[in-house]
């Protein structure tokens, strides 16, 4: 975390199943702000997609949250909302759950990184190649 984030007291937030949330809460990330809003959401079997989406948007809007961790199974449920979030802060990290393995092909950040890498390799490499060939002559 950056020095600036530490000074401002930025938080991590979690949207996950009970095991995931309890693990992070035992690690000390639990926090309740002045409006009595917590920085975690325990998703249960009767939690709706709309509730997860609303919680994610609430976390994104909070200035005191720098990182949002979400179980990938729930990220899949709100994929369209996640894909619209392009800002670097809060950073969204998709994490596995006890019952569901992590699938890198679904991760929004990884997809963007791969596009950036392809752009860098495909578009900049030919320019370097042309430069090298022109120097040979």
């Amino acid at each position: 975390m950056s020095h600036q984030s530490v000074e401002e007291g930025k938080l991590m937030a979690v949207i996950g199943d009970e095991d995931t949330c309890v693990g992070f809460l035992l690690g000390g990330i639990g926090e309740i702000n002045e409006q009595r809003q917590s920085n975690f959401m325990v998703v249960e079997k009767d939690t709706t997609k709309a509730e997860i989406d609303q919680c994610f948007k609430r976390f994104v809007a909070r200035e005191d949250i720098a990182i949002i961790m979400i179980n990938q199974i729930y990220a899949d449920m709100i994929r369209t909302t996640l894909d619209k979030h392009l800002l670097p802060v809060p950073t969204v990290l998709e994490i596995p759950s006890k019952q569901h393995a992590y699938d890198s092909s679904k991760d929004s950040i990884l997809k963007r990184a791969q596009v950036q890498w392809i752009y860098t390799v495909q578009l900049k490499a030919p320019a370097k190649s042309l430069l090298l060939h022109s120097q040979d002559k």
Side-chain angles (χ1 to χ4, degrees):
M1 193 180 294
S2 74
H3 182 66
Q4 181 183 12
S5 293
V6 172
E7 284 182 11
E8 294 176 6
K10 299 287 185 175
L11 301 173
M12 294 190 315
V14 179
I15 299 173
D17 58 23
E18 185 177 18
D19 290 337
T20 301
C21 289
V22 167
F24 281 106
L25 290 172
L26 288 172
I29 70 140
E31 192 77 31
I32 295 180
N33 66 11
E34 294 85 29
Q35 291 81 29
R36 306 287 302 152
Q37 296 173 328
S38 68
N39 63 331
F40 62 93
M41 175 188 189
V42 178
V43 179
E44 303 191 42
K45 61 182 176 187
D46 59 342
T47 303
T48 66
K49 173 184 170 181
E51 290 172 316
I52 297 168
D53 193 62
Q54 179 184 16
C55 180
F56 176 78
K57 289 176 181 174
R58 189 172 60 247
F59 287 164
V60 167
R62 284 180 54 176
E63 292 182 15
D64 62 337
I65 292 179
I67 299 171
I68 301 172
M69 293 175 287
I70 182 170
N71 284 139
Q72 193 172 54
I73 187 85
Y74 307 124
D76 288 341
M77 293 171 71
I78 60 166
R79 182 65 58 199
T80 55
T81 301
L82 279 178
D83 288 343
K84 290 177 186 174
H85 177 69
L86 302 175
L87 298 174
V89 177
T91 301
V92 180
L93 301 174
E94 296 181 28
I95 59 176
S97 67
K98 201 173 180 181
Q99 293 80 17
H100 300 93
Y102 173 78
D103 181 357
S104 61
S105 68
K106 295 179 180 181
D107 192 312
S108 298
I109 291 179
L110 236 53
K111 284 180 187 176
R112 278 184 262 157
Q114 287 170 342
V115 167
Q116 181 62 35
W117 182 81
I118 289 169
Y119 169 78
T120 302
V121 171
Q122 297 292 328
L123 295 181
K124 292 186 179 180
K128 288 180 184 177
S129 176
L130 289 174
L131 181 62
L132 290 174
H133 288 299
S134 66
Q135 290 174 349
D136 290 341
K137 294 180 181 181

